[in-house]
Amino acid sequence: MLDHGEAPPTTDPSHAETAGLGARLMRRKPVERLVAEGGQGEGGTLRRSLSMWQLTMISIGATLGTGIFVVLGEATPLAGPAVAISFVIAGLTALFSALSYAELAGSIPVSGSSYSYSYATMGEIVAWICGWCLILEYGVSVAAVAVGWGEYLNELLDGTLGITIPESVSAPLGEGGFINLPALVVILLAMVFLMRGAKESARVNTIMVVVKIVTLVIFCAIGFMGIKAGNYTPLAPLGVTGISAAAATLFFSYIGFDAASTAGEEATNPKRDLPRAIMLSLLIVTVLYCLVALVAVGAMPWQDFEGTEAALAQIMKDVTGHSFWGVVLAAGAVVAIASVVFAVLYGQTRILFAMARDGLVPKAFAKVDPRTGTPRANTLIVSLFCGVLAATIPLGELANATSIGTLFAFALVNVAVVILRYTRPDMSRTFRVALFPVTPILGLLFCLYMMFSLPGATWAVFGGWMIVGIVFYFAYGMRRSRLATAEK
C-alpha cells in the first residue's frame, strides 16, 4: 500500500519524473502529525490560555463591525432597501462554510485553519494555494478595516473637539490624499497589544467587543424611532442582480468567524470549544447585522448611502437632531473597528506561523518569543505590511479582493470535510456537519456563486495574486517544505 505522496513504481524515466513532481505536489501531512506539532515554534511554544468565551469574542471581534459600520455604505447603493436580504444571503453562505469549519476545527485543532485542513486532505499544493488565499483574506482585510476606522475617527474628533484630520493624511492616493495615517496608526496599536501575549490580548479584545455590541444596540433603539415606511420602497430598485452584487460585497462583513480556528493551538480545550465558538459567534453577528441594516435603510433613503462610510453616525444625528448621539456612535465604531483590526491581525499571524512551521514560508514567522509565548517577529512583519496597504490603497478595492480570497478558502474547507469523512470515517469528531454531504456541497456552491458575482477587476487582481503565489511556492516552498526535507 502506498503512503500519502508516494509515487507508484514505474520503469519509464520520463513518466517517473512526472510522477515524482505530482507526488511532491500532492503529498499530505497526516492529521496526527498536525495535532502533535500544535503550539511548537522556533525557540518556544505558544501558550494554551484561551477559554470558549474568549474564542467566541475573538471571532466576533474579527467579524462584527466592518460590514455594518463601513461596507454598508458601499453595498446599500447596489441593493437598495433589500440590502438586508443581501446580508441574509451572505450570512447563509457563511453558515454553510461555518458548519464545515466547526467540524474540522473540532477534529484538527491547529493554528493553520483551512490551510492545515487542506494539507491533511488535498495535498501540499492545494494547501499552499489555500494558505496564499488566507494571506489575502486576513492581511488585506486588516488593511481594509483600518481604512474605514479613519472615517469614524474623524466623526469622533469633529463631534468632540471640532477638528478633523486633513484629507491629505487621512486618505490614500486616488481619493484626495497622499497617505491614510489613521489606518496605519490603528494597525500599529493592535501590533503592540498582540506582542504582549495571547491571554492579555484576549482580555483587551473582549472589552472592545462588548463596547461595540452595546453601541449597535443603542443605534437600533434610536434609529427605530426614525424609520419611515416609504424608505423601504421600492424594495429592490436594481433587481436580483443588485441584491447578489451587494451580497458578494457584504460577504466581506462575515470574514472573521473562522478566526477562532486560528487559535487552535492557544485554546485550553480546542476540540470542545472551537466548534462552539465558531457557531455562536456567527449567530450573534448575523442577528445584529440584519437588525442594524433594517433600521438603517428605514431611517435614511438608500440613495443617501452613496459615498458614505460613516452612515450610522449620520443617521443618529438626523434622527435625534443632536450631534451627541452621533458622537456616541462614532466612539463605539472607533472601538468596534479597532477590535476587528486586532482580531484579524491575530489570525493572520497564526496562519503564517503554521505555514512557516511547515517550511513553506521563512522560519522567522514561526519564531516564538519564550517570554511572551507569541510570534513577535511574525507580528511585526505582518503589521508593517498591512499598515502599508491600509495607508495607500482605497477601501473598495481592498474589500472585494478580500472577499474572493476568502470565498476560495471557504470552498476548499467544504471540500476538505467531504474528503476527510470518506478517508478517515473513524476519526474523533466533536462536531459533525448536519445533512452530510448536502450541507458542505451547498457551502461549496454558494461560495462559487458569490465568487462569480464579483466584478472582473477583482478576478484580475485575484489571478495576479495567485500567479505570484505559485511562483513563490515553486521557487521557495516546494524545496523547503518539511515534508520534502524529511524525504531526503
Side-chain angles (χ1 to χ4, degrees):
M1 182 177 291
L2 297 173
D3 293 331
H4 295 316
E6 182 177 319
T10 177
T11 56
D12 183 348
S14 62
H15 181 69
E17 182 178 345
T18 304
L21 175 61
R24 292 164 70 190
L25 295 177
M26 299 307 295
R27 55 195 168 205
R28 285 176 278 176
K29 189 171 183 180
V31 172
E32 291 76 14
R33 181 171 173 180
L34 280 168
V35 176
E37 290 179 354
Q40 298 177 19
E42 296 287 328
T45 58
L46 301 177
R47 296 173 183 171
R48 293 194 178 276
S49 59
L50 302 180
S51 65
M52 194 274 284
W53 173 250
Q54 290 172 320
L55 293 170
T56 303
M57 291 298 103
I58 287 173
S59 281
I60 295 177
T63 311
L64 182 62
T66 314
I68 211 65
F69 283 108
V70 181
V71 184
L72 180 65
E74 303 224 351
T76 302
L78 298 175
V83 68
I85 299 175
S86 299
F87 267 115
V88 172
I89 294 173
L92 282 173
T93 304
L95 173 61
F96 286 121
S97 296
L99 292 168
S100 294
Y101 262 101
E103 176 167 325
L104 292 175
S107 307
I108 313 173
V110 293
S111 291
S113 187
S114 50
Y115 154 76
S116 295
Y117 310 151
S118 299
Y119 213 162
T121 56
M122 289 175 274
E124 187 171 282
I125 184 63
V126 179
W128 168 260
I129 291 172
C130 184
W132 194 245
C133 286
L134 289 174
I135 293 173
L136 183 65
E137 171 193 346
Y138 279 84
V140 179
S141 66
V142 167
V145 174
V147 170
W149 186 78
E151 294 287 333
Y152 278 97
L153 180 62
N154 261 336
E155 287 283 331
L156 180 61
L157 292 174
D158 185 35
T160 54
L161 302 176
I163 61 173
T164 58
I165 302 171
E167 191 174 44
S168 60
V169 292
S170 63
L173 288 170
E175 292 197 347
F178 297 100
I179 185 173
N180 193 327
L181 194 58
L184 176 60
V185 168
V186 71
I187 290 175
L188 295 181
L189 287 174
M191 176 191 74
V192 171
F193 280 109
L194 286 173
M195 285 185 169
R196 297 178 59 189
K199 188 173 183 179
E200 293 78 4
S201 299
R203 287 172 180 166
V204 173
N205 177 70
T206 298
I207 293 170
M208 290 194 291
V209 169
V210 170
V211 169
K212 67 181 174 182
I213 290 176
V214 171
T215 301
L216 289 174
V217 170
I218 291 173
F219 169 81
C220 288
I222 293 176
F224 182 79
M225 296 185 294
I227 290 178
K228 297 179 178 64
N231 288 339
Y232 291 115
T233 57
L235 180 63
L238 302 176
V240 175
T241 301
I243 294 174
S244 297
T249 298
L250 287 172
F251 186 77
F252 173 80
S253 311
Y254 289 92
I255 293 170
F257 72 80
D258 57 322
S261 67
T262 67
E265 295 173 25
E266 291 162 284
T268 53
N269 191 346
K271 284 183 172 289
R272 182 197 67 188
D273 293 342
L274 288 177
R276 294 179 180 180
I278 290 171
M279 299 310 300
L280 181 58
S281 63
L282 184 61
L283 174 64
I284 293 171
V285 166
T286 302
V287 169
L288 280 170
Y289 275 167
C290 291
L291 284 175
V292 173
L294 284 170
V295 171
V297 295
M300 187 166 82
W302 67 272
Q303 299 92 334
D304 294 351
F305 282 82
E306 183 75 43
T308 303
E309 290 178 357
L312 301 191
Q314 185 61 47
I315 291 171
M316 294 280 269
K317 288 181 185 177
D318 293 344
V319 170
T320 62
H322 300 287
S323 61
F324 171 76
W325 289 109
V327 171
V328 171
L329 194 287
V334 166
V335 175
I337 298 173
S339 74
V340 178
V341 172
F342 185 85
V344 176
L345 190 63
Y346 167 85
Q348 173 70 98
T349 60
R350 271 45 180 186
I351 289 165
L352 281 169
F353 173 84
M355 295 177 74
R357 185 171 56 201
D358 292 333
L360 300 183
V361 297
K363 289 183 178 180
F365 291 101
K367 188 173 182 180
V368 177
D369 184 273
R371 183 176 62 84
T372 62
T374 61
R376 301 193 72 177
N378 180 343
T379 303
L380 176 63
I381 295 168
V382 170
S383 300
L384 293 177
F385 173 76
C386 294
V388 171
L389 283 181
T392 58
I393 307 296
L395 171 65
E397 295 302 320
L398 288 172
N400 282 339
T402 302
S403 292
I404 196 168
T406 305
L407 286 164
F408 190 85
F410 283 9
L412 290 180
V413 169
N414 286 296
V415 173
V417 166
V418 175
I419 292 175
L420 207 59
R421 279 283 192 102
Y422 287 118
T423 59
R424 298 292 302 275
D426 299 326
M427 189 174 69
S428 173
R429 291 172 172 84
T430 55
F431 179 91
R432 285 178 174 267
V433 171
L435 301 176
F436 179 87
V438 175
T439 300
I441 291 174
L442 284 175
L444 172 63
L445 294 176
F446 264 92
C447 287
L448 294 175
Y449 171 73
M450 298 287 278
M451 287 179 73
F452 286 106
S453 295
L454 290 167
T458 302
W459 277 92
V461 171
F462 181 65
W465 177 258
M466 295 309 299
I467 290 171
V468 172
I470 293 297
V471 170
F472 186 90
Y473 171 74
F474 281 104
Y476 183 95
M478 186 174 70
R479 293 176 174 82
R480 296 174 182 266
S481 162
R482 287 188 63 190
L483 291 185
T485 56
E487 292 170 357
K488 295 179 180 179

